[in-house]
Amino acid sequence: PPDSPRLQPAGPAVKVTSPRIEFNVGVETELFLERRVATKELPTILEFSLDLRDRYMEEVGSQAGYPALRSQFVPKEEVEEDPGFEKWSVINEISLTKRDREPWGLEVVSPKLAVAASSPWRSHVKGWWQFLDQNYIVSNDTTCGTHVHISLDGEFSVAMLQEIAVAAIFFEPAIEALVPQERRGNRHTASNWIDNPSFGQLGRSRYDTIARLRKCRTKDELIWMISPGKPYGWNFWSLNKLRTIEFRRGSPSKSQHDVFMWIDFVVAFIRAAITKPIEIHDNYLSYAPTVGGLFEFL
């Protein structure tokens, strides 16, 4: 649908001192792995995943302070329980290109990472990726992506969720310009506006959409409106089960630097949305809905 003609040049940014808000994140990386040195035959992805787990536990996971790794390719009754999300997990991701030999496609799910100055979360991510770099060749294809879940120790309030949803709609054109083409128009990372039956599919402009989001009075109403299901670029549906908001549009990761980039982006975006609400009036915008405006917002 066309944007509203009310769009005006951006005015000066709203300057707000950001309070100290600490977040928890979990990152999911979809990738393909091949051993650098194959010492024995591993003809199935189950055997490959168990070998991966054992190697990691021997080299990294056995060290004090580092999270363990579990494989979820084993039968359901044999999966190690992890209710507190304290371990790395390798799981089967059905959206990845299917292969019958190495490199195998799988999804790696991080433990719950406390993004705080006192937390060793960065060393945990570095330890995992250094292990991969030393033992495996990492590759991606167009079916791969990086997803970041973010939560608070408490709950997101309705007001917080409104501002995050507003920022997601407002800056969607800028984010689409930054992600690879395969992450746009992708049924697993649908647009929260264009593909949404409550907004774009009804012909609502972005500004009408933002006005409607700010009228929501409950979390359930807002969640259903901004992402009526899981496969949206910003997935609010995961608040129901995991108490997280999930960003699904991240490009594939081949290094720790890629992972840190997406985690830092999502944390900065959510922090900015909560602390610097976007003001839209007939003749004034807090920011331009462009890459430059997004940079200023972050």
Side-chain angles (χ1 to χ4, degrees):
D3 266 338
S4 165
R6 290 176 290 161
L7 177 61
Q8 302 292 328
V14 177
K15 301 297 183 184
V16 179
T17 301
S18 177
R20 173 50 51 191
I21 303 174
E22 295 185 347
F23 298 99
N24 301 305
V25 300
V27 60
E28 302 167 352
T29 51
E30 298 164 340
L31 40 72
F32 292 87
L33 294 181
E34 180 179 2
R35 291 169 295 168
R36 292 188 181 276
V37 178
T39 57
K40 59 182 177 180
E41 290 293 322
L42 298 174
T44 69
I45 194 167
L46 169 60
E47 291 172 285
F48 181 86
S49 72
L50 295 177
D51 182 73
L52 170 68
R53 179 197 65 188
D54 294 344
R55 285 190 185 204
Y56 172 84
M57 290 305 298
E58 181 180 349
E59 296 183 24
V60 182
S62 59
Q63 299 180 41
Y66 281 88
L69 172 68
R70 63 177 185 157
S71 169
Q72 293 197 50
F73 286 91
V74 298
K76 186 175 182 180
E77 62 273 12
E78 296 179 22
V79 173
E80 301 171 57
E81 295 299 321
D82 185 24
F85 299 99
E86 298 175 350
K87 302 174 182 178
W88 291 94
S89 298
V90 288
I91 67 175
N92 184 25
E93 173 49 59
I94 60 174
S95 66
L96 294 177
T97 303
K98 297 305 174 191
R99 300 179 182 177
D100 58 4
R101 63 178 64 86
E102 294 184 49
W104 291 108
L106 45 80
E107 181 177 297
V108 179
V109 181
S110 79
K112 182 178 179 180
L113 305 168
V115 181
S118 59
S119 167
W121 74 275
R122 287 188 182 269
S123 66
H124 293 170
V125 176
K126 289 178 181 177
W128 166 254
W129 278 95
Q130 287 170 357
F131 162 76
L132 284 188
D133 290 340
Q134 291 169 6
N135 293 281
Y136 297 88
I137 299 170
V138 180
S139 59
N140 306 119
D141 69 11
T142 57
T143 63
C144 297
T146 302
H147 303 168
V148 178
H149 287 260
I150 185 165
S151 66
L152 298 172
D153 282 334
E155 298 277 353
F156 288 107
S157 68
V158 174
M160 286 178 174
L161 293 176
Q162 282 179 318
E163 295 309 325
I164 296 167
V166 165
I169 295 295
F170 186 78
F171 283 115
E172 189 176 73
I175 293 174
E176 288 206 336
L178 294 173
V179 300
Q181 182 177 353
E182 58 268 17
R183 307 307 286 171
R184 304 191 293 269
N186 184 320
R187 66 186 179 90
H188 298 291
T189 61
S191 163
N192 291 85
W193 174 56
I194 296 170
D195 302 314
N196 193 316
S198 297
F199 302 139
Q201 297 298 305
L202 291 180
R204 295 184 189 272
S205 72
R206 291 192 191 274
Y207 301 111
D208 292 337
T209 295
I210 287 170
R212 183 66 187 86
L213 286 169
R214 284 196 164 133
K215 291 178 181 178
C216 292
R217 292 294 173 260
T218 68
K219 289 184 182 180
D220 288 343
E221 181 186 11
L222 189 140
I223 290 169
W224 177 256
M225 193 164 288
I226 188 64
S227 58
K230 176 181 177 179
Y232 283 83
W234 290 97
N235 168 27
F236 284 60
W237 198 255
S238 64
L239 286 162
N240 292 320
K241 182 178 180 181
L242 302 173
R243 296 169 58 199
T244 67
I245 297 170
E246 179 189 21
F247 179 71
R248 296 174 57 83
R249 280 200 155 162
S251 57
S253 293
K254 293 182 69 174
S255 70
Q256 60 177 282
H257 305 292
D258 296 336
V259 172
F260 284 135
M261 174 182 69
W262 286 117
I263 292 175
D264 290 341
F265 166 75
V266 172
V267 170
F269 189 92
I270 299 297
R271 188 187 301 280
I274 291 172
T275 60
K276 300 193 290 188
I278 295 168
E279 295 296 332
I280 299 178
H281 305 294
D282 287 343
N283 296 305
Y284 176 76
L285 290 175
S286 304
Y287 304 92
T290 62
V291 172
L294 175 61
F295 179 79
E296 187 177 11
F297 178 68
L298 298 182

